[in-house]
Amino acid sequence: MDGEYIAVEHPSPSPAYPGYSSSGTVSVAGRHQRSVGQRMPAGHLILLALLLGTLVILLYAYWDVMMITAGASPMARRHEANANETLSEKLHREVRILCWVLTTPKYHKTRAAHVLRTWGRRCNKILFMTSQPDEELPTMVLTKPDRYEVLWGKTKEAFTRLYEEMRDEADWFMKADDDTFVFLENLRYMLYPYSPNTSIYFGFNYKMIGTHPKNSSYMSGGSGYVLSREALKTFAEGLNDTTKCRQEDDHAEDVEMGKCLFNLDVKAGDSRDEQLRNRFYPTAPFGALLSGNVGMDFWLYKYAYYNARTCMDCLSEYPVAFHYVNSQQMYVYEYFNYQFQLAGRQQVAERLPAKIREQDLVIPESDNSVS
């Protein structure tokens, strides 16, 4: 320790520290060292200010980089995308629809392929129920034979398979034929107010003919019908009840579906718009606009659950589905609804309808007195 010095500052002498002299020095190992003054030199102050300024600049730069990085994160991008999405995109995200189309191998190229190229590509997911796989189509192969007499059996198998394998992949499950055209945007718009946890389904309502319980109805298989996720569950889990659902595979598919769902307490929803105009229609559009059927004994007028009319104002401005649409007509529908523009047309400000609580759901009774 010889020749080494330790300088210690202290504001005033204190008898508690041995060797502290009144001159402000501390004696260590017999040597004396003058204490450093309390005031920092000007050069040190400038250096300290520079260091603090540099630190502030670095912290600001780091914060700026972090904000930019956060803006590039998936969550931030999703938030920004949601803020700028269209109404159609919002509905596509919030109202997930799995479409399944009933077809046969002989119609894969002449019908099913054209469905996939037009309205089918707007489904959140689409499957073609058939008896043979096809590399050009997303298919689900059924075990039932390709015969009209077993359409009920094929429908039971299709919905059961969807429940067992894909029930969590969609909120609603739409059945259609390969000569049906569906406007998915309008279907999502119609379904938006309803919860998929409500056991309900929609389509074009028909009256049950003959002896039947009051208010029982069924949906046209041609224009298609859509089940909520809860209705799919109710159907799949109650299908084997022989007192409620037909166990044989024969008989009319849409009639048996309606009977089964009615017996299982699945609600038959009213798909008409606020002006009571049809959104599902079991024929092509001209059948509702300019009908050549003058007699009230025409099958559509007799079987419609709600009073069927024919006039230029009888179809909803937001139609959902039509039947008897061939493959050539599908491209006409596609063009006039997704490409055609009318110069000077006033754009309509669209808004989503209000949500409907299940306890507030009211389904009107039949108003068709034609028999």
Side-chain angles (χ1 to χ4, degrees), residues 9-273:
E9 297 182 15
H10 201 281
S12 61
S14 173
Y17 292 91
Y20 201 101
S21 67
S22 59
S23 61
T25 63
V26 179
S27 173
V28 180
R31 304 291 180 93
H32 297 278
Q33 173 67 36
R34 178 68 58 183
S35 63
V36 181
Q38 292 184 12
R39 178 173 297 178
M40 183 177 293
H44 289 182
L45 288 173
I46 295 173
L47 180 61
L48 180 60
L50 290 174
L51 289 174
L52 289 175
T54 303
L55 181 60
V56 170
I57 294 173
L58 290 174
L59 288 174
Y60 179 82
Y62 176 77
W63 175 82
D64 195 37
V65 170
M66 290 300 293
M67 292 300 294
I68 295 175
T69 304
S73 68
M75 182 175 294
R77 286 197 302 268
R78 191 179 304 117
H79 177 76
E80 181 179 357
N82 292 349
N84 296 325
E85 68 184 355
T86 64
L87 182 63
S88 177
E89 291 169 341
K90 175 181 174 64
L91 288 170
H92 186 276
R93 176 172 55 83
E94 295 189 7
V95 186
R96 301 176 303 159
I97 299 176
L98 186 153
C99 309
W100 70 267
V101 179
L102 196 58
T103 190
T104 65
K106 71 175 182 178
Y107 290 139
H108 283 188
K109 300 296 185 289
T110 58
R111 293 187 181 183
H114 302 292
V115 169
L116 185 61
R117 293 169 188 165
T118 55
W119 67 265
R121 58 197 176 99
R122 298 183 185 89
C123 302
N124 294 83
K125 188 177 186 67
I126 185 169
L127 291 169
F128 292 88
M129 301 296 180
T130 182
S131 59
Q132 294 179 14
D134 191 315
E135 293 182 354
E136 298 180 1
L137 296 172
T139 58
M140 177 176 282
V141 177
L142 304 178
T143 62
K144 304 297 180 182
D146 291 316
R147 295 204 316 271
Y148 183 81
E149 295 78 15
V150 295
L151 286 182
W152 170 229
K154 295 179 75 171
T155 299
K156 289 188 292 184
E157 183 181 359
F159 273 123
T160 301
R161 289 274 303 277
L162 290 176
Y163 174 70
E164 293 173 347
E165 302 173 22
M166 299 181 179
R167 61 178 177 265
D168 295 326
E169 296 187 24
D171 306 305
W172 300 86
F173 298 80
M174 170 84 182
K175 179 266 175 186
D177 288 346
D178 53 15
D179 60 347
T180 305
F181 194 98
V182 183
F183 298 98
L184 268 298
E185 297 87 350
N186 291 348
L187 177 57
R188 293 188 180 99
Y189 183 82
M190 186 197 80
L191 295 174
Y192 179 81
Y194 303 92
S195 168
N197 297 321
T198 299
S199 196
I200 192 170
Y201 79 125
F202 294 93
F204 182 87
N205 303 56
Y206 281 134
K207 295 186 295 185
M208 288 288 185
I209 302 301
T211 303
H212 56 84
K214 183 182 179 181
N215 296 329
S216 60
S217 67
Y218 65 99
M219 304 297 176
S220 166
S223 55
Y225 46 85
V226 56
L227 277 65
S228 69
R229 186 172 54 241
E230 185 64 22
L232 176 69
K233 176 178 183 293
T234 303
F235 174 74
E237 295 182 355
L239 179 61
N240 294 326
D241 188 336
T242 58
T243 66
K244 296 182 178 180
C245 302
R246 185 180 180 86
Q247 301 303 298
E248 294 80 8
D249 292 339
D250 61 343
H251 212 249
E253 158 253 331
D254 49 6
V255 174
E256 294 303 327
M257 188 70 178
K259 289 179 179 179
C260 181
L261 293 177
F262 179 83
N263 292 334
L264 292 172
D265 295 324
V266 176
K267 298 178 178 65
D270 180 6
S271 64
R272 297 174 300 171
D273 65 15

Side-chain angles (χ1 to χ4, degrees), residues 338-354:
Y338 296 98
Q339 299 179 41
F340 174 81
Q341 297 293 327
L342 184 65
R345 174 186 289 169
Q346 182 178 358
Q347 296 297 316
V348 179
E350 296 179 320
R351 59 180 177 82
L352 291 172

